[in-house]
Amino acid sequence: MRLVLFGPPGAGKGTQARLLAERRGLVQIATGDIIREALKNETPLGKKAKSYVEAGELVPDSLVRDLAENAIADEGYDDFVLDGYPRTDQQAAWLTEFLEEKDRPLDAVISLAVPDEVIVRRLSRRRVHTETGETYHLDHDPPPDDVDPQYIVQRDDDQPETVRNRLSVYRDETKPLEEYYRERGLLQTVDGTGGIEDVYDRVEEVLDDLRASA
Ligand code: AP5
Ligand code: MG
């Protein structure tokens, strides 16, 4: 199955993609995670991306294209869930062309709908593990006791000011892609509020429907 998980920052794309990986054997391809790893290791990509990520802006399309396409190719063009890609018209057009060339079009784009006030609350309480990249939430998914607290940090771009900018970038540059995918019959909107497992059940329902109609 070839999926995109779509939605605003903090919608739960990473959380749901990880569950799909664990339970459905899909490979999670998260451009944000790849970029953060590059920042940490101060690679050439990391150095180019740094100022954009810190400001909550999108990294230029040309820098992320190869990240996504190479990761998809590594997985044999199947059984993946894209998390955080595509995010612009240009990225969506490239992705369509790239997959069509291999005759492996997307099965669905699942858009997680979450209101801004819920997002701001989620992101202010999110914590990440600096080494494993594991994501936690201080209220309902706190780091286990055996995890050393010195590795648990807030993402730099989860500061309130940066979150506001990310939301506005999402509205201007990324949300319009819903229309692009609706026109192609791929868009599935899922209510992203409620508990993590409730959202996962809704995602599974969409996948069941897709399988039934395949
Ligand atoms: P990226 O890492 O993709 O960030 P994002 O899209 O802003 O999304 P987040 O990772 O913040 O949120 P999420 O939807 O994954 O939510 P999560 O599951 O963690 O991108 C970062 C930056 O990299 C971008 O700003 C840009 O600079 C650059 N970049 C990346 N891709 C790019 C691209 N394609 N083009 C250009 N630039 C790119 O959940 C959030 C929190 O909520 C967690 O604490 C979680 O535990 C909690 N939570 C999740 N679900 C629930 C629930 N149901 N109930 C309660 N809490 C929940
Ligand atoms: Mg994420």
Side-chain angles (χ1 to χ4, degrees):
M1 196 158 249
R2 297 172 294 278
L3 300 177
V4 169
L5 266 180
F6 190 84
K13 301 180 295 294
T15 303
Q16 297 300 323
R18 265 188 295 277
L19 291 177
L20 287 168
E22 273 167 38
R23 300 175 186 179
R24 290 276 154 196
L26 300 179
V27 169
Q28 176 190 9
I29 300 175
T31 42
D33 291 351
I34 300 172
I35 293 169
R36 271 185 296 282
E37 191 63 24
L39 287 179
K40 197 170 90 185
N41 296 326
E42 298 183 357
T43 66
L45 165 71
K47 287 180 186 149
K48 285 187 201 140
K50 190 172 188 317
S51 61
Y52 299 98
V53 176
E54 285 177 351
E57 297 290 334
L58 294 180
V59 169
D61 290 334
S62 56
L63 289 182
V64 274
R65 179 185 192 175
D66 284 352
L67 303 183
E69 293 185 359
N70 292 342
I72 293 169
D74 286 348
E75 295 312 319
Y77 301 87
D78 213 347
D79 298 325
F80 60 81
V81 50
L82 285 167
D83 157 9
Y85 189 89
R87 276 165 124 113
T88 64
D89 291 346
Q90 176 68 81
Q91 291 177 20
W94 279 335
L95 180 64
T96 301
E97 194 188 339
F98 177 72
L99 293 174
E100 271 174 5
E101 264 173 27
K102 297 287 171 190
D103 205 18
R104 298 282 227 289
L106 289 172
D107 293 301
V109 174
I110 300 178
S111 178
L112 299 174
V114 181
D116 282 6
E117 61 274 16
V118 176
I119 285 171
V120 172
R121 206 165 42 232
R122 280 188 190 171
L123 292 184
S124 69
R125 305 288 287 164
R126 172 164 64 183
R127 296 294 181 272
V128 290
H129 192 290
T130 53
E131 303 308 302
T132 64
E134 192 70 41
T135 301
Y136 301 102
H137 190 282
L138 294 181
D139 299 331
H140 55 75
D141 184 19
D145 291 341
D146 61 351
V147 172
D148 185 341
Q150 70 167 324
Y151 294 117
I152 302 299
V153 299
Q154 185 167 33
R155 251 169 66 173
D156 288 341
D157 62 349
D158 279 349
Q159 300 301 325
E161 185 75 357
T162 317
V163 168
R164 270 193 291 279
N165 194 38
R166 285 160 62 200
L167 282 169
S168 120
V169 168
Y170 172 76
R171 251 187 306 273
D172 294 346
E173 299 194 47
T174 306
K175 190 163 171 54
L177 292 187
E178 285 186 323
E179 202 42 48
Y180 174 90
Y181 285 117
R182 189 176 290 117
E183 281 167 8
R184 285 161 178 73
L186 290 171
L187 186 73
Q188 305 276 350
T189 303
V190 164
D191 175 2
T193 63
I196 290 171
E197 292 295 337
D198 299 323
V199 178
Y200 184 75
D201 287 346
R202 292 179 205 129
V203 170
E204 276 286 346
E205 266 172 44
V206 167
L207 300 187
D208 284 346
D209 289 348
L210 283 175
R211 271 184 225 108
S213 61

